[in-house]
Amino acid sequence: MRIVKLKKEYFHPFLDVISRQAELWAPVKKGDKHIFDRVEDFNRIEMKTTRTLLPPKKLLVPPAFNTFTFNAEGYQEDLSHVSSKILFGIHPCDIHGLLTLDKLFMHEYTDPYYVKARQKTLILGLSCWPDEYCFAKSTRTHIIDEGFDLFFTDLEDFFLVWVGSSQGDDLLRMKPDLFEETLSDSDIQRYIRWQTERDKAYRTEINFMAMPDLMELKYKAPFWEEAGRACLACGSCSMVCPTCNCYNVLDKLALGGKPGRRLRLWDSCTLVEYSEVAGGENFREHKADRLRLWYTHKLQAYVSKYGKPSCVGCGRCLVTCPVEINVRTISKALEGEDPKAFWYRLPSEVKP
Amino acid sequence: MKKDKLKIGIYELTGCAGDALLILDCEDELINIFHAADIRSFLMAKSDNIDGELDVALVEGSVSTERDLQELLDIRKRSKVLVAIGLCATAGGNQAAFLDPREWEDNLKKVYGRTEMTHTKPLQSKPLNAYVKVDHYLPGCPIDREQFLSTLTRLLAGHPPELHRFPVCVECKWRENDCLLNRGILCLGPLTAAGCRAVCPSHNLPCVGCWGPAEEANYTAEYQLLMEKGFDREMILRKMSTFSGTAIADFAARIRGVKK
C-alpha cells in the first residue's frame, strides 16, 4: 500500500483542493459531543474526537428519508439523499461498521439507496485514541486495511497517509507537491511507538471469542429477564450502533391529487412493533426476548456467518443506553461476573 | 361510478378544543379535506351539523361529565370507526392526573364549593377507552398536523393509520441529540409516545410527556433512574403524572403505597 507523509500545515490546503470536488463532511462539535456535519470552514473540524453521536451510516441511509413518490400512474424514485461526499475523520471502528453494512446491502440483495450513496462517498479515515468506553481492540477493529480511500494517522507534526484506493490516489494527485514520498526512519519509528502506546491505552476488554458459546450456554440465564425488566424499549442502542441496519417502510398519502411518499425509517428489533405480524401476533412480545435477539445477532449469529462479531467496539451503546444495557454489561453477565448493572438495582417492590 | 365520500364527524368532549382547532389550522389542506370527505359534524367549523350514521368519528377530550359519557356512547353507536384524538381522549389528559378517587372528590369540592351541578353530573376524568371501544389513537397535546393528515388520508383510503409505537427517544436519536437523561436532566422521552419529532429535546428542553404514555412506558425503570440521579420522589411522580392521565395511577399508588 502506498504511504506518504503530509505536514500539518498542508492539511487545510489539501482539504481546500479536494472540497471543490464534493461536499466535505467531518466531525464537528455539538454541545460537548461530536457529530458528522457538512464543513466549509475547516477550523470547525475536530481532530481529536472519540465517537460521534451517530455513526456515519446516517449519511448513506438517513434515519428517515423518502424512497419514492407515487400516484395512480406510477412512481418516481427519490435519491435526494445521494450526493458526492468526502467523509473525513472516520475512525477505524466506524470504517469496519461501513464494511459490515456493505456486506448486508451490497452483496446478496443489493439496496439501491445504499449502493448509490456509497458509490459517491469517499472515506478519509483518521486515527484515534481510545477512551474508557472504546473496546475496538477486543473486536480487532482498531486497525483497518481496507474500506478507505485515504487513511490519516495523526503523529502530531505530520500525518502518515495510507492510500487505500485509486480514487484516494486521485485525490493526492490533485495537489501532489503537498505530500512527501520518502519516509525517514525516525518517522517510521514514531508511528510504531504511537501504535504501541495506542494499543496499550484500551481499558475495556471483552472476550469476543467466548461470546458465541456463551450466548448458547446462557440462553436461559435469569439475567435476561432482569435486563428486560429494566429495558426502556427506546431503541437508542440500535439507532447509535454502526452495524444496526433494520428499517421500516411507511406510506404517506396526500390530499388534493398530490403524490404519496414511501418513507424508509430506521427501526430496531428492540421495539415492540418489530416482531408483530398481521393479525396482531407478536413473536417477541417480551423485552427480554428482544434483547436476547439483539445480542444473539451481535455476538453469535453474525460470527457464524461472517467469522467475526457485528460489534465494532465503538462504545456507543455504553455511552448511550440510560439504563446500562450494553455490550459491556451483557458480556460480563454472560461471563458470570456481576456487572453491577442498573437492572440489579431495580426495586422489586414496584415490580409492574 | 364515483365512490361515496366517507362520512366523518369531529367531536369535542372535555378538553381545551385544541385538537379541533388544529384541524381548522390545516389551512392549506382544509378545502382538500372537505372535498375528500363528507364532514357531517364539526361544531367548531360549521353550523349545519347532522348527527347521523358515520364512517369515522374523531373524538377529542376526556369523559368528565355524565353528558360527555352519553354523547360518547351515542357517537360510538353511530360510528363504524372511532378515533381518539389528542391526549385527553387517548390518555385522559391533565384533568385525569388525580391519582386517588378521594383526592378527586376533595378537589371537586375545593374548586366548585358545592358538588350538585345544575345540568350534568361530574365524573372523574377518564380517556375514551374507559367506556367504549376505541379503534385508533392519535396522540398529542395538541395533535400534530402532519400526523393528523397522514391518519386522515389513510382512513380515507380504507387503511388503518400507522403511527409510531415507540417512545420519543427514537426520533430524538434520528435528530442526533445528546441524551438529556444521560446529562442528568429529568427527561420523560423514554415514557412518551413519539410523533412530535422530538421537538423539545432538539431545543435542549426535556420532554414533559405531552404525547402521553408510550405503548411500553417503563415507569419503574425511569423512576429508579431518576431517583439514582438525585431527584425527589414527589417531583418525579408529579412530572410523570402531568400528561400520563390514568395510565400512571397504578404505578404511583404502588410507589406511594410501599414507601408510606
Side-chain angles (χ1 to χ4, degrees):
Chain A
M1 206 178 281
R2 187 175 167 214
I3 303 166
V4 294
K5 181 174 164 181
L6 177 70
K7 287 209 178 84
K8 280 282 171 81
E9 62 260 40
Y10 296 146
F11 177 58
H12 282 189
F14 177 61
L15 292 183
D16 188 46
V17 175
I18 62 170
S19 61
R20 290 174 205 163
Q21 306 298 310
E23 298 168 9
L24 179 67
W25 289 70
V28 301
K29 271 205 160 230
K30 178 170 181 175
D32 57 359
K33 301 291 197 311
H34 297 95
I35 62 167
F36 281 103
D37 198 8
R38 176 100 192 258
V39 172
E40 277 162 0
D41 172 5
F42 307 138
N43 292 314
R44 279 180 72 215
I45 299 175
E46 293 283 325
M47 301 297 290
K48 309 254 182 219
T49 63
T50 55
R51 60 201 70 72
T52 48
L53 284 168
L54 286 181
K57 69 177 180 183
K58 72 166 188 176
L59 296 172
L60 301 171
V61 273
F65 70 100
N66 184 35
T67 54
F68 58 79
T69 53
F70 59 89
N71 58 22
E73 271 78 56
Y75 71 94
Q76 184 154 26
E77 206 167 34
D78 180 353
L79 287 165
S80 48
H81 74 290
V82 176
S83 61
S84 292
K85 292 186 182 78
I86 295 173
L87 258 66
F88 172 78
I90 304 198
H91 297 160
C93 62
D94 277 346
I95 298 177
H96 279 281
L98 293 179
L99 289 171
T100 299
L101 296 184
D102 288 351
K103 284 197 179 76
L104 301 165
F105 285 143
M106 293 180 89
H107 293 171
E108 209 171 338
Y109 304 101
T110 54
D111 176 339
Y113 298 97
Y114 180 85
V115 172
K116 284 175 186 164
R118 181 71 157 124
Q119 282 167 347
K120 291 195 125 192
T121 304
L122 295 181
I123 304 297
L124 275 51
L126 176 65
S127 61
C128 53
W129 199 266
D131 69 0
E132 64 200 282
Y133 305 108
C134 291
F135 52 95
K137 198 171 153 225
S138 305
T139 45
R140 301 289 297 158
T141 51
H142 63 315
I143 43 176
I144 185 84
D145 48 26
E146 57 169 334
F148 57 85
D149 298 287
L150 295 174
F151 190 90
F152 291 70
T153 299
D154 187 340
L155 296 171
E156 295 308 319
D157 318 319
F158 63 90
F159 296 105
L160 283 188
V161 184
W162 274 254
V163 183
S165 74
S166 59
Q167 282 171 302
D169 201 56
D170 289 345
L171 292 179
L172 299 192
R173 283 173 200 283
M174 292 171 76
K175 200 77 176 159
D177 47 326
L178 298 179
F179 297 90
E180 293 168 44
E181 297 286 337
T182 323
L183 308 179
S184 70
D185 261 335
S186 94
D187 295 340
I188 293 166
Q189 282 310 311
R190 204 143 137 198
Y191 168 66
I192 298 296
R193 273 201 307 277
W194 171 86
Q195 196 183 39
T196 311
E197 289 306 306
R198 194 269 320 263
D199 287 0
K200 278 193 221 152
Y202 285 93
R203 280 167 281 166
T204 294
E205 280 192 25
I206 294 168
N207 180 10
F208 280 90
M209 291 292 284
M211 289 304 146
D213 277 341
L214 284 173
M215 279 302 302
E216 279 197 57
L217 292 163
K218 310 263 311 229
Y219 198 76
K220 289 181 177 164
F223 81 86
W224 288 112
E225 285 302 323
E226 301 289 322
R229 203 160 72 81
C231 178
L232 297 166
C234 73
S236 294
C237 49
S238 295
M239 301 302 127
V240 302
C241 178
T243 66
C244 268
N245 54 79
C246 289
Y247 59 87
N248 195 6
V249 169
L250 196 62
D251 284 349
K252 293 264 181 189
L253 309 176
L255 291 165
K258 282 173 287 195
R261 293 175 302 143
R262 175 159 294 181
L263 305 182
R264 175 163 160 175
L265 314 165
W266 284 4
D267 202 353
S268 168
C269 58
T270 62
L271 300 175
V272 65
E273 197 181 356
Y274 186 89
S275 298
E276 196 177 279
V277 294
E281 187 63 38
N282 195 332
F283 295 116
R284 293 183 201 88
E285 195 184 341
H286 301 291
K287 288 183 287 180
D289 294 334
R290 287 179 242 151
L291 281 181
R292 193 156 36 201
L293 175 75
W294 201 91
Y295 284 95
T296 300
H297 180 84
K298 297 289 170 199
L299 306 177
Q300 183 192 28
Y302 197 86
V303 183
S304 48
K305 185 150 188 203
Y306 295 106
K308 57 177 196 171
S310 73
C311 171
V312 295
C314 71
R316 284 189 180 88
C317 56
L318 273 62
V319 298
T320 303
C321 177
V323 291
E324 298 173 13
I325 303 169
N326 56 51
V327 172
R328 184 165 64 183
T329 53
I330 293 287
S331 60
K332 275 210 161 57
L334 284 169
E335 286 174 326
E337 278 178 55
D338 178 3
K340 302 203 166 24
F342 179 81
W343 66 75
Y344 292 118
R345 306 198 295 271
L346 266 191
S348 54
E349 67 267 35
V350 293
K351 213 167 196 158
Chain B
M1 202 179 77
K2 205 170 182 305
K3 225 173 71 182
D4 281 345
K5 287 184 193 172
L6 238 50
K7 294 188 194 70
I8 293 183
I10 298 165
Y11 298 95
E12 301 153 42
L13 305 179
T14 297
C16 69
D19 305 304
L21 187 63
L22 186 126
I23 295 172
L24 263 193
D25 194 43
C26 297
E27 289 182 359
D28 308 345
E29 297 286 355
L30 271 186
I31 290 181
N32 290 330
I33 292 171
F34 276 82
H35 189 72
D38 179 6
I39 308 289
R40 309 286 279 184
S41 178
F42 187 2
L43 196 61
M44 190 183 278
K46 64 196 199 97
S47 44
D48 59 335
N49 295 307
I50 307 156
D51 291 329
E53 300 286 303
L54 291 171
D55 293 303
V56 179
L58 305 170
V59 183
E60 106 161 70
S62 66
V63 178
S64 304
T65 64
E66 185 59 37
R67 195 174 79 172
D68 283 344
L69 179 57
Q70 291 313 318
E71 187 176 359
L72 177 65
L73 294 173
D74 176 54
I75 294 166
R76 177 70 271 190
K77 224 183 293 169
R78 302 189 271 116
S79 311
K80 287 188 194 129
V81 172
L82 191 147
V83 187
I85 62 166
L87 181 82
C88 297
T90 59
N94 304 104
Q95 62 271 33
F98 300 111
L99 302 170
D100 186 322
R102 283 162 308 179
E103 195 185 347
W104 173 77
E105 275 166 29
D106 290 347
N107 275 307
L108 186 73
K109 276 189 201 128
K110 228 183 281 173
V111 174
Y112 290 99
R114 56 189 189 86
T115 53
E116 70 285 1
M117 308 287 277
T118 49
H119 64 293
T120 182
K121 184 171 152 266
L123 301 171
Q124 184 173 9
S125 292
K126 284 184 180 158
L128 308 190
N129 66 6
Y131 297 103
V132 297
K133 178 175 172 273
V134 173
D135 299 294
H136 306 294
Y137 297 86
L138 178 59
C141 184
I143 54 170
D144 170 74
R145 181 193 160 102
E146 212 253 327
Q147 273 204 325
F148 165 70
L149 289 170
S150 74
T151 300
L152 182 73
T153 47
R154 287 186 67 102
L155 289 168
L156 290 173
H159 304 307
E162 254 193 281
L163 294 161
H164 297 323
R165 287 168 60 185
F166 44 70
V168 169
C169 305
V170 173
E171 288 184 301
C172 199
K173 292 292 165 303
W174 289 354
R175 299 189 67 171
E176 207 165 8
N177 298 321
D178 189 16
C179 178
L180 291 169
L181 263 179
N182 287 343
R183 282 160 54 192
I185 296 165
L186 199 166
C187 179
L188 298 181
L191 300 179
T192 306
C196 62
R197 296 175 284 275
V199 60
C200 294
S202 300
H203 290 86
N204 244 333
L205 296 167
C207 172
V208 295
C210 71
W211 240 247
E215 192 169 322
E216 288 192 307
N218 189 342
Y219 289 110
T220 308
E222 173 104 9
Y223 172 80
Q224 174 67 17
L225 188 66
L226 292 171
M227 288 294 280
E228 288 186 9
K229 289 182 190 294
F231 291 99
D232 170 68
R233 188 183 75 154
E234 283 307 310
M235 154 97 129
I236 298 169
L237 288 176
R238 258 204 321 277
K239 290 268 183 196
M240 280 184 175
S241 55
T242 308
F243 292 101
S244 287
T246 51
I248 195 184
D250 286 348
F251 172 78
R254 207 155 47 223
I255 290 279
R256 291 204 166 98
V258 292
K259 301 276 174 170
K260 251 171 207 167

